[in-house]
Amino acid sequence: MGEATGTVRARHTDTDSTVLWQYDTSSAIGSDPAVTGNRIAVGADDDSLYLLDASMGDPLTKKSVGDRVHSSPTIVDGVLYVGDDSGTAVALDNS
C-alpha cells in the first residue's frame, strides 16, 4: 500500500499485518499500486511512476511521466498504463 508520506509498504496478509518491507519515494502517494507477477507499480507527486520488486521492495525503475500521478496504474498484457494530473495517459512496457 502507498501512503501520503511517500512510503510504500508490503504487509503480511495474516492478522498481525507485519511489515515485510518498505520503500520511501520521498513524495506523497495518492493512489493505489498495481501488482503483476513480482512487480509493483505506484505513482507519486514527484511526477514519477515507480516500479518495485514485490518480494523485497527494491526499486527496479523510476520514470518521469510529466505531472503528479494520483490515478492508480493498471497493467494489461504487459503494458503499464497511468494518467497524470495534466490529463495525459502514459503507457510503459512492464518488462
Side-chain angles (χ1 to χ4, degrees):
M1 67 187 194
E3 300 178 356
T5 62
T7 302
V8 180
R9 287 188 175 88
R11 296 187 181 270
H12 199 281
T13 57
D14 65 8
T15 56
D16 71 2
S17 298
T18 301
V19 174
L20 301 173
W21 57 258
Q22 64 183 41
Y23 177 78
D24 183 18
T25 68
S26 299
S27 186
I29 299 169
S31 65
D32 293 325
V35 179
T36 183
N38 195 36
R39 296 175 183 202
I40 296 174
V42 64
D45 277 4
D46 64 353
D47 306 349
S48 297
L49 184 67
Y50 293 82
L51 193 60
L52 307 174
D53 175 84
S55 61
M56 299 300 293
D58 296 327
L60 300 173
T61 191
K62 174 184 173 184
K63 299 279 187 183
S64 176
V65 296
D67 205 346
R68 295 176 300 175
V69 180
H70 290 144
S71 66
S72 296
T74 190
I75 302 166
V76 178
D77 295 330
V79 179
L80 193 148
Y81 299 92
V82 69
D84 67 21
D85 280 9
S86 73
T88 302
V90 178
L92 302 168
D93 185 352
N94 186 39
S95 58

